[in-house]
Amino acid sequence: MGSPKDEAAQNPFSVKATEIPESFHSFETGGPFQKCLVCGIDLVKSGMPYFIEKAFRKYPGYKAFDITYEFAMCFKCAENLRKELSIESQERMKQYMESKIDFEKRRHSMSGLEPGKSLEPWLDHCLVSGEPLQDQNEYVLYGYFQGNNMMVSDFPYAIGPQAMDELTDLLSNKTLGEMDDFMGQYFTGPPEVNELFKPRRPVLL
Ligand SMILES: [Zn+2]
């Protein structure tokens, strides 16, 4: 038997499984995500782990957040996408996250999560800056799942606009181009929306 620390080191996703919270349901269907955005694999039947990314924005004059884009992506497609990113970009993002966040501490406090207990306290602030998201004009939610369960470990978390900007600044032009191609392939936003905000890229950390 290794210590919890050893187990966490061997398996970064050594985890607690919990029901998928509604905040990670599809805005489009109102239910859980069914398919991988890229390969279309059935997320539940395949048993393949998968990620969900949901981006929100608050338009000037409005108090509520609107969904900007959302998708589920199977582990395999996420790995393939990550392989296309430049090594420099990946390394810089990793260093940035490690310098800003004590994942071990966070993992430890998350391991005390009771089944059925709200994940809200983990998702109402930016993972990097700690700022409450309610005061921001945009944020992104990330989660890791398998079948009908959310896997609680380093995920889930939310990232606010300042950290999104800082992460984007770390990416090489090549990586930015690849991410824009990816977004262009799967999502199209109305032009007036794009003028209001900077283009956003999937982070998939
Ligand atoms: Zn896939």
Side-chain angles (χ1 to χ4, degrees), residues 6 24 44 51-52 63 87 92 105 125 145 148 157 161:
D6 292 335
F24 280 97
V44 175
F51 299 91
I52 290 174
K63 282 186 179 158
I87 302 286
R92 281 198 291 259
K105 193 176 155 206
H125 61 276
F145 305 82
N148 292 314
Y157 57 78

Side-chain angles (χ1 to χ4, degrees), residues 36 38-41 73-74 77:
C36 169
V38 177
C39 71
I41 198 172
M73 190 186 291
C74 77
C77 289

Side-chain angles (χ1 to χ4, degrees), residues 115-167:
K117 203 176 160 203
S118 171
L119 285 161
E120 208 55 40
W122 302 102
L123 298 175
D124 65 0
H125 61 276
C126 172
L127 170 73
V128 177
S129 71
E131 286 172 321
L133 297 172
Q134 201 50 46
D135 305 338
Q136 314 294 323
N137 60 4
E138 56 181 333
Y139 67 95
V140 185
L141 285 184
Y142 301 91
Y144 182 64
F145 305 82
Q146 188 160 24
N148 292 314
N149 290 313
M150 165 178 261
M151 313 309 272
V152 178
S153 60
D154 290 350
F155 293 94
Y157 57 78
I159 301 273
Q162 195 194 326
M164 282 196 260
D165 283 345
E166 287 171 6
L167 278 162

Side-chain angles (χ1 to χ4, degrees), residues 36-57:
C36 169
L37 172 76
V38 177
C39 71
I41 198 172
D42 186 306
L43 297 170
V44 175
K45 279 187 200 151
S46 67
M48 175 100 74
Y50 58 100
F51 299 91
I52 290 174
E53 175 165 337
K54 291 179 72 165
F56 300 84
R57 277 174 180 166

